[in-house]
Structures are given as C-alpha cells and as structure tokens.
Amino acid sequence: MKKSKKTGRCCKGCKKCIAQVERPLFEGDGEEIFYSMIDDMLVLASYVDMMYENTRLLSLGLIPARIAMKRSALVLEGSDSVLRRWDRYSQPEV
C-alpha cells in the first residue's frame, strides 16, 4: 500500500476514513449538535467496518500483521477522538 507524502498515512481508504476535521463544539443550537452526533455515529460505523475488513484480510493472510496493527492504531485514534467529543457533549455547558 502506498504511503501519502503529506501525512505518512496509508492512502485511499485509511486516509479517507481517518481524516478528522476539528470543528467547534457547541456551535449553534441543539439541532446542529444533534446532527454532529449523527455524523459521529456514521464515522464510528465506518471504523467498525474498517476493523472488520482489517481482521478479514489478516485472517486470510493478505496483509502482514505489522500493517494490520498500524491500521488498528489509526482506527483506535480516530474513535478515541469521537468518544472524547461525545464526552464533551454530555457535560453541561455553564
């Protein structure tokens, strides 16, 4: 798999799924926050799909364990950022 010159991450699928755009939290009314949470749910669903595909390819021996571990680390990093954002959503704004 080719590496991106800009970020050093895997091109195509990984970069498309992992790229996170940091947006301000609590911007607008509750409806906008609700739609942001739905977007986050879709991102988490894509991470689950990536992990399934990663596990499938690893079990078939189509990718080495080193690459599977790197992909898993990227998915974990992205899902942690979504969960941190959700934790901030649950905190009351004062």
Side-chain angles (χ1 to χ4, degrees), residues 15 21 36-37 39-40 47 49 64:
K15 185 177 178 184
V21 176
S36 293
M37 292 176 80
D39 289 341
D40 289 341
Y47 289 152
D49 184 50

Side-chain angles (χ1 to χ4, degrees), residues 14-34:
C14 293
K15 185 177 178 184
K16 178 178 69 174
C17 293
I18 299 298
Q20 292 289 325
V21 176
E22 291 298 323
R23 55 187 179 270
L25 195 62
F26 304 122
E27 179 181 289
D29 57 1
E31 187 174 330
E32 291 176 12
I33 293 172
F34 176 73

Side-chain angles (χ1 to χ4, degrees), residues 3-9 11:
K3 295 280 186 176
S4 172
K5 291 180 182 177
K6 284 184 181 176
T7 62
R9 292 186 177 169
C11 295

Side-chain angles (χ1 to χ4, degrees), residues 1-4 19 26-28 30 33-34 39-40 49 56 67 72 75-76 80-83 89 94:
M1 187 173 266
K2 294 180 2 182
K3 295 280 186 176
S4 172
F26 304 122
E27 179 181 289
I33 293 172
F34 176 73
D39 289 341
D40 289 341
D49 184 50
R56 188 182 71 79
I67 293 176
S72 297
V75 169
L76 182 62
D80 278 346
S81 70
V82 170
L83 293 176
Y89 287 145
V94 181

Side-chain angles (χ1 to χ4, degrees), residues 56-82:
R56 188 182 71 79
L57 291 174
L58 183 62
S59 67
L60 293 174
L62 298 175
I63 59 173
R66 179 178 46 84
I67 293 176
M69 291 299 288
K70 284 183 182 180
R71 286 183 179 180
S72 297
L74 290 174
V75 169
L76 182 62
E77 178 184 313
S79 59
D80 278 346
S81 70
V82 170

